[in-house]
Each structure stands twice: as C-alpha cells, then as structure tokens.
Amino acid sequence: MIRGVRRFVHREWGPLFGTVRTALVTRGWRAVPLTLTAVGLTALLQVVQNQDWGYPPVQAVGSVRAEDPLWAALLRTPLSLFVPALDLPVWGALAQVLLVFGIAEICIGRWRTLGLAYLATLAGTLYARLGIALGPDGPLGLPATDAQVVDTGPSAAVVGLAVYVCWRYGARWTGALVVVAMVVEVLVKPNLAGKEHLAAIIAVLVLIAVRGRRGRRQAGGVGPRPGTRSWKPPIRS
C-alpha cells in the first residue's frame, strides 16, 4: 500500500517537484522575478484600493465589469489581473499568486506564464458579457445584475495556469482535481466568479488541445521510439 502511494506520488509530482526544486536551489528567488513582481503589485494595489483616496483610481484602471464598454474592459484587463477582490482575504490571493505563478514561471517560462495568465483572465472577462447576453434562464447564462460585479482578479489566471502546468508535467490527477473543484464550486455557489473560473479552464483546455494536435502533426502521428530524443521517427540510411 505504502509502496503504491509512493509510486503514485513520484509519477504524479516527481517531474514537477524536481524541476521546481532544482531551479530554487540553483538560482533562488532569481528564478521567479515575474512572480515576485506580481505578488508585490497585488499587495500594493490592495493597500492602495483600501485607502479613501486610492479606491477610485484603482477601479478606474484595473477593475473590469461587464457593463463597461468593451474597449475600456480590454484596456483594464492587464492590470485587473493583479487587483484582488475586496471581499476576500488578500493573503489568500497573495499565496495563490506566489505558489502557482512561481511554479509556472519555473516550469513553462516567464513570458508563457504571463501570456497564459492573461488568456485565462480575458476568457473570464469575455464570458461575463456572453453570459449576461444569454440571460439567467440557461445553464451558461447570468443575471443582468452581474454586469455590475467586478471580475475575478488573479484567481482565474491561477486556475488556468494550474491546469496547464499539470498537463505539461503529467500531473493528470491533480489537474483533474482542479477542474472538478471548480465545477463543484459552481454547483454549490453559481456566481460570476465560479463561472469565470470555468471559462478560464475551458480556454486553457482548448489551447492544450490545439498544442497537442499540432504536436501530433509535427510528429507525423508516430510516437517516440526507444533510444530517440525526438517525437520524430529516427532517420534510416
């Protein structure tokens, strides 16, 4: 039993843990400059928006609602990624960003992490508009009052990055657990934030499917053979 658990843990998290550990041991905090910047910016925006003088400017440049004009929402989306929700403990948001962004930055690179974070956030932002247009009667719809609710902040990006990194490093059960947890969240509390999380996951899953299909095309439908380092078949003379 214990041996089976160890094999599962090694298979599920071994490659991921090894990559993260090696980067932190050899480079320390220099391995995650994007993550440290994101944590610092999130903390700074939280402090500023809790001041009487700071709330209006933070809302003006970083808070996205479905009732906003689309051009304004798109301009605010990059900064909205780092504006935490006022009704939730900021420490939870900071811990999520530090852990998930840090692992993603080490495992898939700085710019890919940032791009995926914005993809997930943008998917949630655009879904909110679609859901309100569909109305509250359908399973994908939202009530009109949700047009005034501020988007999720960093949480949609965290969820999307977690799913992508799990796929890249073979942590299939962990990735599936994240997806199931988000589905349960929507079933228990079907609010805008939960559905935006699902929209972020769907966007990342579509990207994974596209990358997987492209990889199979480049490999010509042939899997790696013993003794080869590439997905392409070995050259024969």
Side-chain angles (χ1 to χ4, degrees), residues 42-95:
T42 302
L44 175 62
L45 290 173
Q46 172 68 6
V47 171
V48 171
Q49 73 175 349
N50 275 283
Q51 309 301 317
D52 291 338
W53 56 267
Y55 179 77
V58 170
Q59 293 294 299
V61 300
S63 290
V64 177
R65 298 175 178 84
E67 66 178 2
D68 297 333
L70 181 58
W71 64 268
L74 294 177
L75 287 176
R76 293 170 183 167
T77 295
L79 195 59
S80 74
L81 177 60
F82 306 105
V83 179
L86 285 170
D87 58 340
L88 296 176
V90 68
W91 301 112
L94 294 176

Side-chain angles (χ1 to χ4, degrees), residues 127-215:
Y127 159 73
R129 296 171 179 273
L130 175 62
I132 291 169
L134 292 174
D137 297 330
L140 298 178
L142 295 168
T145 53
D146 279 351
Q148 302 173 358
V149 178
V150 177
D151 278 355
T152 59
S155 59
V158 165
V159 170
L161 285 171
V163 171
Y164 187 86
V165 171
C166 286
W167 168 74
R168 279 291 302 270
Y169 277 77
R172 300 292 193 264
W173 288 99
T174 306
L177 183 61
V178 173
V179 175
V180 170
M182 294 302 102
V183 172
V184 171
E185 177 190 16
V186 169
L187 293 177
V188 173
K189 191 176 181 181
N191 57 11
L192 175 62
K195 292 187 176 182
E196 285 189 342
H197 293 161
L198 288 184
I201 289 175
I202 291 172
V204 171
L205 291 178
V206 169
L207 177 64
I208 288 172
V210 171
R211 287 182 61 85
R213 185 175 182 181
R214 184 181 301 170

